Amino acid sequence: MTSDSPLLELVDLATRAPSGHNAQPWTIVRTDEQRLVLRSEPRRWLRMIDPTNRELLLSFGALIETIRQAAPAVGYGVDLQVLADRADATDIALVDLATAPAVSSNAPALIRSRATTRTPFLPVEVDVHDLDLPAGLLPENL
């Protein structure tokens, strides 16, 4: 694969997919010239806050949708097969790519512009008394 290959560009765009808690719980494995397996990476599972892997599977939905949106712009058609039959499966989906004429799209630019805001919303810390109300409303969740 050359540095300017459409497959490399597709994988680069795919890795920008949003994921629960920005964990990127996936590995993209190339198993054939135009075949990718999307695998769940158990070391990135968030067992304490996502014990049923619900957010993990939602993250894979975002990854799959990112691939489906980006592929036509870089010259691929996508045939996708879901492999996972349970929440703790490691092989989630099989992506078969077919070379196709690139379609004019702003999807790659939009995907590249995604960013996680890591700056604080307030210039000061939240006052501890401001936390009393939410803590009082949901004690079973804390």
Side-chain angles (χ1 to χ4, degrees), residues 4-140:
D4 61 346
S5 124
L7 183 57
L8 189 58
E9 184 176 1
L10 180 61
V11 169
D12 175 63
L13 291 166
T15 62
R16 298 166 188 265
S19 64
H21 301 280
N22 209 22
Q24 286 80 36
W26 49 70
T27 301
I28 301 171
V29 179
R30 182 179 179 190
T31 60
D32 203 350
E33 188 65 28
Q34 292 185 318
R35 176 174 278 180
L36 305 173
V37 176
L38 308 180
R39 290 195 174 134
S40 177
E41 181 56 59
R43 290 177 295 155
R44 294 192 204 133
W45 290 3
L46 305 173
R47 298 177 198 280
M48 294 299 290
I49 56 175
D50 187 23
T52 62
N53 282 348
R54 179 184 180 277
E55 290 187 40
L56 174 120
L57 295 175
L58 290 171
S59 297
F60 272 93
L63 173 64
I64 289 166
E65 186 59 23
T66 299
I67 291 170
R68 293 177 84 163
Q69 292 292 322
V74 298
Y76 287 115
V78 174
D79 183 34
L80 182 106
Q81 178 186 355
V82 174
L83 301 174
D85 59 354
R86 59 189 197 286
D88 63 350
T90 54
D91 285 358
I92 305 298
L94 179 66
V95 179
D96 283 310
L97 303 168
T99 304
V103 174
S104 178
S105 170
N106 64 349
L110 291 172
I111 292 167
R112 283 187 185 97
S113 72
R114 289 183 184 153
T116 300
T117 303
R118 297 193 184 275
T119 57
F121 294 105
L122 297 173
V124 296
E125 289 185 21
V126 175
D127 187 277
V128 69
H129 300 295
D130 291 336
L131 300 176
D132 290 342
L133 179 62
L137 293 174
L138 304 170
E140 68 280 1

